Amino acid sequence: MSQDGVGVDLDTSLGYLLKQAHNVLRAGMDAALRPLGMTVPQYACLELLAQRPGLSNSDLARGAFVSRQSMNVLLQSLERDRLVSRPDKPSAGRALPVQLTPLGRERLQAASAAARTVETQMGRGLTITQQQQLRDLLASCVRSLAES
């Protein structure tokens, strides 16, 4: 509780600390990706497509933490910039599979390096063991909340 007995103590609130970490990480990623002409959601989309080809628009939206409508707009901009391609007609069903173009892979390499630099900076005060423990603890928090 806070000093007046209302709410939570922000100094010890896990949720508040996670939000602070998220905000600082996002600011660092924004700054690192801006010179590459890329946003964090664009980078996340390209990374997802490289690691999990064939994801649906909905899966991409969930993985990049944006709405399906925002993902549609994002994919249109990536397609316009020739970083991804989609067929004019679906090969089966209604899905139009999105693929990285060679230019998209090239730009992703630069963006991934920039993102790794930010993550390395974020973990600089932690040992390798502590970094793994933090990953494990955060994954456990995600699982706990997902189960409820």
Side-chain angles (χ1 to χ4, degrees):
M1 291 243 176
S2 64
Q3 291 177 342
D4 63 2
V6 177
V8 296
D9 182 357
L10 297 180
D11 293 332
T12 60
S13 168
L14 287 177
Y16 190 75
L17 288 170
L18 280 171
K19 186 62 177 171
Q20 280 184 306
H22 170 265
N23 286 344
V24 173
L25 174 61
R26 178 66 186 255
M29 294 288 277
D30 284 337
L33 294 170
R34 191 174 301 113
L36 303 173
M38 196 174 295
T39 65
V40 172
Q42 287 173 327
Y43 163 67
C45 181
L46 295 178
E47 194 72 72
L48 285 164
L49 286 170
Q51 293 184 26
R52 301 178 193 143
L55 286 178
S56 70
N57 183 49
S58 294
D59 290 333
L60 286 170
R62 274 190 295 280
F65 306 104
V66 298
S67 69
R68 283 192 339 230
Q69 295 80 3
S70 293
M71 182 53 66
N72 280 330
V73 172
L74 191 148
L75 285 171
Q76 289 170 4
S77 73
L78 292 174
E79 196 171 14
R80 187 176 49 251
D81 293 341
R82 293 189 224 105
L83 302 180
V84 301
S85 64
R86 294 188 278 188
D88 292 331
K89 295 181 181 178
S91 57
R94 296 182 348 178
L96 295 173
V98 183
Q99 295 185 346
L100 286 178
T101 63
L103 177 61
R105 289 191 183 285
E106 183 181 309
R107 295 281 304 281
L108 175 58
Q109 279 187 313
S112 293
R116 276 192 305 276
T117 299
V118 174
E119 285 195 9
T120 298
Q121 182 181 359
M122 181 177 62
R124 194 174 19 206
L126 303 172
T127 66
I128 300 296
T129 300
Q130 289 171 324
Q131 289 178 37
Q132 185 57 52
Q133 289 171 333
L134 180 57
R135 280 190 288 277
D136 293 343
L137 291 168
L138 289 171
S140 177
C141 288
V142 170
R143 281 191 305 275
S144 293
L145 287 174
E147 291 170 358
S148 20

